[in-house]
Amino acid sequence: MTFEGFPVAALDFYDDLEVDNTKSFWEAHKATYLEQVRAPMTALTDELAREFGSAKVFRPYRDVRFAKDKTPYKTHQGAFVGVTSACGWYVEVAAPGVRVGAGVYEASGDRLAALREAMADDRTGPQLAKILRGLERAGFEVTGDRLKTAPRGYEKDHPRIELLRMRTVLGMRSYGFEPFVHTPELLDRVRADWRALRPLVNWLSDALD
């Protein structure tokens, strides 16, 4: 299947799902999900796989076993190309439109310690700071889960304390409802942004490995 963009119906589907997140709605509109959401996402990631690797197109069902919110279906369709555990490229379609990004979305224990060690290092730490500044200048939002204070073992006046407070590191860009999300041009946009994010992915995967 050739990627032609996400139809308007894909965004409308998630608009409606946010209002009526029930099994009865899902069963009545499952064909819309498969044809207007999942099929284009699969086509998009298949095109990108030639350069970035195979993607995991996530299932639409929420794990509600331990959640207070028991609505059964995700209100977005995401796909992820992993480079190392919890680190790689991401693309998503939802009611607010399309967004892309890359980075590490979870780190704990030894992996978080390794990430902080690379941030604190006087050689690799400034490299990450430079990469993130470049992404911000290019219009990406640098975001992630942050501690309110310095992590244990690091001084509050460390020259890269803002990096060290980050438990996850993500570079994201929202395309929203731009007309090109409904056209083949979206493929070129995602490819260009993933390429721009490659230095971040490479730095993080080196640190975590």
Side-chain angles (χ1 to χ4, degrees):
M1 177 179 176
T2 302
F3 179 70
E4 300 293 341
F6 285 105
V8 173
L11 279 62
D12 290 345
F13 170 81
Y14 282 113
D15 267 330
D16 294 339
L17 183 62
E18 288 184 353
V19 174
D20 187 7
N21 196 320
T22 62
K23 184 176 181 180
S24 59
F25 172 87
W26 184 267
E27 291 300 327
H29 298 85
K30 187 174 181 179
T32 300
Y33 165 75
L34 292 173
E35 295 167 9
Q36 310 296 324
V37 177
R38 193 171 186 90
M41 180 63 80
T42 301
L44 174 63
T45 54
D46 284 350
E47 292 278 2
L48 293 165
R50 301 168 189 173
E51 180 173 348
F52 298 95
S54 297
K56 177 180 181 180
V57 178
F58 293 110
R59 289 163 51 87
Y61 312 106
R62 296 183 63 246
D63 183 353
V64 300
R65 289 174 298 172
F66 308 107
K68 291 182 179 179
D69 177 5
K70 298 299 184 181
T71 52
Y73 304 103
K74 297 174 184 176
T75 54
H76 63 274
Q77 176 65 69
F80 178 71
V81 178
V83 176
T84 187
S85 179
C87 178
W89 289 276
Y90 183 73
V91 58
E92 174 188 290
V93 61
V98 177
R99 65 176 184 148
V100 297
V104 58
Y105 65 86
E106 192 282 329
S108 58
D110 290 344
R111 296 177 71 251
L112 182 56
L115 183 62
R116 286 178 175 157
E117 183 178 348
M119 289 172 168
D121 185 273
D122 287 336
R123 180 181 62 85
T124 54
Q127 292 173 353
L128 176 60
K130 182 179 180 181
I131 289 168
L132 296 180
R133 287 195 301 270
L135 291 175
E136 288 179 328
R137 287 195 298 269
F140 290 93
E141 178 189 7
V142 174
T143 186
D145 179 31
R146 284 181 168 87
L147 296 175
K148 293 182 179 180
T149 186
R152 185 175 302 173
Y154 294 95
E155 298 296 330
K156 293 181 179 180
D157 60 352
H158 190 283
R160 286 178 296 284
I161 190 60
E162 293 304 312
L163 289 181
L164 289 164
R165 289 173 52 225
M166 300 182 77
R167 296 173 56 88
T168 60
V169 185
L170 301 166
M172 304 295 298
R173 189 196 300 278
S174 174
Y175 301 145
F177 304 110
E178 290 290 340
F180 67 78
V181 306
H182 307 303
T183 74
E185 182 186 343
L186 178 61
L187 171 61
D188 296 329
R189 297 272 190 150
V190 177
R191 182 186 289 115
D193 279 341
W194 280 12
R195 285 173 177 171
L197 288 158
R198 190 185 295 278
L200 175 62
V201 172
N202 290 345
W203 189 98
L204 291 168
S205 61
D206 287 345
L208 293 169
D209 287 343

